[in-house]
Amino acid sequence: MRLKESDLTTVYIRKPADVQDDEGYTTKGWSDPQPIKMNIQSAGGSVNAQLYGKDIKYIKTCKYQGKLLSEGHGEGYGICLNVPGTSDPDYKITAIQEFSTHKNVTLERIKGDEQND
């Protein structure tokens, strides 16, 4: 399976990291953004509806071809989907499933953005 270039969206991936604030304290933050291309769609179907219920509107399913993400390496990373790459991510990776030619990535909106709907 080859992902069609016209269907791919550039998003920015950010790893969780410890960062220092202006006063030298270590806090939780995000690493520098790295651009990746994914095919992103809203989650749908009866299985996803049963899994997520009314929260399904905050779930995205993506297809990715590349080496930056893999099963067991990438869950918990932040994705800047509807925000600039320099801001805090608005989605996080919750699952990665590897297939021979691509990876299925599930994104969930980070809590706190839901009030803005």
Side-chain angles (χ1 to χ4, degrees):
M1 172 187 200
R2 196 101 166 102
L3 297 180
K4 209 167 127 180
E5 186 68 31
S6 62
D7 292 339
L8 298 178
T9 303
T10 300
V11 297
Y12 293 90
I13 186 167
R14 299 187 74 179
K15 299 176 186 177
D18 291 331
V19 295
Q20 285 194 341
D21 62 11
D22 296 338
E23 297 175 0
Y25 293 103
T26 302
T27 59
K28 297 285 182 196
W30 300 98
S31 67
D32 292 332
Q34 290 184 287
I36 61 170
K37 291 187 175 224
M38 302 174 116
N39 178 319
I40 302 169
Q41 303 198 359
S42 295
S46 60
V47 173
N48 283 332
Q50 287 180 342
L51 279 174
Y52 301 112
K54 64 181 180 178
D55 290 335
I56 196 167
K57 62 185 174 182
Y58 303 118
I59 306 297
K60 302 282 187 192
T61 56
C62 310
K63 296 204 182 316
Y64 170 69
Q65 288 179 321
K67 300 186 186 313
L68 201 58
L69 300 174
S70 62
E71 224 172 294
H73 177 74
E75 285 95 350
Y77 285 15
I79 297 284
C80 298
L81 181 62
N82 299 318
V83 296
T86 54
S87 64
D88 285 344
D90 55 342
Y91 282 83
K92 69 177 175 181
I93 297 174
T94 57
I96 300 172
Q97 298 172 315
E98 286 194 37
F99 294 92
S100 59
T101 59
H102 70 283
K103 297 168 182 91
N104 285 347
V105 180
T106 304
L107 305 180
E108 181 178 348
R109 187 186 262 165
I110 294 175
K111 303 291 185 221
D113 291 334
E114 297 170 4
Q115 295 87 1
N116 296 335
D117 285 345

